[in-house]
Amino acid sequence: MSARTPLRLAGEAGFQSAIENLQSKILIDSFGRVHNNLRVSVTDRCNLRCTYCMPEDVTFRDRSELLTFEEIATFVRVAAALGVNKVRLTGGEPLMRKELHKLVRLLVAVPGITDVGLTTNGILLEEQAGALFDAGLRRLNVSLDALDPGRFRELTRRNGVEKVLAGLAAAKRAGFAPIKLNAVAIRGFAEHDVIPLARYCRDHGFELRFIEYMPIGAEAWERDKVFFAAEILDLIGREVGALVPANHDPSAPALDYAYRDGGGTVGVIASVSRPFCAQCNRIRLTADGKLRNCLFALDETDVRGLLRDSPVPESAVADALRRSVWAKREGHEINAATFVKPDRTMHAIGG
Ligand code: SAM
Ligand code: SF4
């Protein structure tokens, strides 16, 4: 089904009831996209202040506003009954949420959930990698934009690259494989870091992924600041090793490449130069219990109120999810003059 043509609700006999029948089993939007991938932010707090993500001075939400682990697990159970099978924990910095491994344990036990992942800046990973692995976490993405301590500080406004490197080593020892390393590609910065990061990942067996810089942070964004995926691949191909396209899942946002002589992969998430909205299968739950059907959504649906009712009206949570997914826009419009940046910055949504 094309994601270009909205499904029509009017004028076709039985169509409405066919859609309702589908919606009782799967999360489908009005463009026919089926959603099985949930990102859960567990906190808006962070121990870094990456310039592209959040402002230096920020007021974090009161902890009482954040969903508890039990509330998150209830939501995930409802979502899993509607076809969600992948969950990724994120933030803010998810490892700042105390005893995150306990949430992992709850989520891997939810019937239907086959894949629980985590995206972290790695600062607190050294001390938590073992407990997370033991709790059943298997997919791990660590964000690291620069290996040089000065450049790391410039981008994150904090020190700590050695902690991230120790966290990566601890994750490897704990048994995580593969480990993905994510870097944001900003023109004027990334040119200096692409090659050292590519060599480091090749040497250590990490899968490197570059994400094009998106207009979702606190700073003014211009298209000219995006270091494009094609340029990154060209640079790595020339300086580190020839790359060839690798098989990839068409619904995955990354385009993956492998070194022709073996020894690792490089992926690019070309959200700006090659948007993947037509294949998008993601929904998001913010740490304060708002549903977002797109990273760039301008509207949110509150589910915290429902999750704090006793007993939790699970059918109302499911309805909220169905309605939110159905209302998803066709695409993020980053490249259009009509683009409107959401009020929340990345750290408060969940990347
Ligand atoms: N704190 C964790 C981390 O940094 O991995 C998880 C949350 S962070 C918001 C998730 C991902 O979003 C990170 O990989 C980060 O690099 C990416 N990100 C943040 N702001 C971005 C932007 N403006 N453009 C592209 N990616 C961005
Ligand atoms: Fe924190 Fe991650 Fe945002 Fe950096 S990208 S400020 S580590 S939430």
Side-chain angles (χ1 to χ4, degrees):
M1 202 173 317
S2 160
R4 297 266 153 219
T5 320
L7 300 175
R8 296 273 167 245
L9 283 180
E12 290 172 42
F15 198 80
Q16 176 83 49
S17 69
I19 291 293
E20 279 168 11
N21 184 34
L22 270 179
Q23 286 185 308
S24 67
K25 302 181 193 106
I26 54 173
L27 289 168
I28 185 167
D29 72 11
S30 68
F31 294 90
R33 293 171 293 197
V34 177
H35 293 67
N36 68 326
N37 193 329
L38 171 67
R39 300 217 149 200
V40 176
S41 172
V42 295
T43 179
D44 57 341
R45 286 177 165 69
C46 192
N47 39 13
L48 299 181
R49 291 288 182 280
C50 302
T51 53
Y52 49 75
C53 175
M54 66 189 286
E56 170 68 82
D57 294 316
V58 55
T59 308
F60 294 117
R61 285 179 196 280
D62 189 83
R63 286 199 168 81
S64 64
E65 293 183 53
L66 306 187
L67 294 182
T68 63
F69 288 173
E70 288 69 27
E71 288 163 352
I72 293 172
T74 301
F75 180 84
V76 170
R77 265 198 308 278
V78 172
L82 292 171
V84 166
N85 58 4
K86 289 176 94 166
V87 178
R88 177 163 290 275
L89 300 175
T90 180
E93 174 44 40
L95 298 188
M96 289 190 75
R97 188 78 190 250
K98 264 199 199 115
E99 303 188 309
L100 189 72
H101 60 95
K102 290 190 173 166
L103 177 61
V104 170
R105 209 173 278 283
L106 287 177
L107 299 187
V108 296
V110 171
I113 297 299
T114 53
D115 185 334
V116 178
L118 171 76
T119 300
T120 169
N121 64 25
I123 294 277
L124 299 172
L125 188 56
E126 186 177 17
E127 56 237 54
Q128 296 188 36
L132 289 165
F133 190 85
D134 291 347
L137 186 78
R138 290 297 176 267
R139 284 185 185 265
L140 184 64
N141 289 11
V142 178
S143 304
L144 177 62
D145 307 313
L147 291 168
D148 174 78
R151 296 184 57 70
F152 180 90
R153 189 185 162 76
E154 208 177 326
L155 276 164
T156 66
R157 303 190 185 106
R158 297 288 185 275
N159 293 318
V161 68
E162 68 298 333
K163 289 194 184 131
V164 183
L165 299 181
L168 281 161
K172 215 169 160 178
R173 282 196 304 277
F176 287 100
I179 297 171
K180 290 190 175 140
L181 199 148
N182 290 345
V184 178
I186 304 178
R187 189 176 298 284
F189 276 94
E191 292 90 332
H192 308 281
D193 302 309
V194 165
I195 295 165
L197 282 172
R199 293 204 170 115
Y200 169 79
C201 285
R202 259 196 123 174
D203 291 348
H204 290 82
F206 301 134
E207 294 185 3
L208 178 58
R209 277 198 170 165
F210 288 96
I211 314 171
E212 286 180 348
Y213 175 36
M214 297 182 286
I216 195 76
E219 296 201 320
W221 179 92
E222 293 155 32
R223 211 167 186 278
D224 286 354
K225 291 186 182 166
V226 183
F227 191 42
F228 291 118
E231 300 172 278
I232 296 166
L233 293 169
D234 180 58
L235 187 56
I236 296 178
R238 276 188 284 114
E239 301 290 333
V240 186
L243 293 167
V244 289
N247 289 340
H248 77 278
D249 168 2
S251 70
L255 295 173
D256 289 320
Y257 294 79
Y259 288 104
R260 187 181 286 149
D261 58 1
T265 62
V266 177
V268 282
I269 303 188
S271 332
V272 181
S273 65
R274 200 172 180 279
F276 42 87
C277 302
Q279 284 81 41
C280 184
N281 60 3
R282 292 181 181 186
I283 41 178
R284 291 181 148 81
L285 179 66
T286 66
D288 57 331
K290 311 282 186 239
L291 269 176
R292 296 179 63 88
N293 57 23
C294 172
L295 181 56
F296 296 94
L298 301 174
D299 300 317
E300 301 179 334
T301 305
D302 180 69
V303 287
R304 188 180 63 197
L306 296 171
L307 292 167
R308 289 194 173 170
D309 262 8
S310 179
V312 176
E314 294 196 3
S315 63
V317 177
D319 274 346
L321 243 171
R322 284 189 197 102
R323 277 199 306 276
S324 170
V325 169
W326 184 262
K328 182 161 172 155
R329 291 180 300 170
E330 184 178 2
H332 60 42
E333 297 185 353
I334 288 177
N335 298 302
T338 47
F339 176 73
V340 180
K341 196 174 153 199
D343 290 338
R344 290 186 190 239
T345 51
M346 186 68 134
H347 80 284
I349 296 175

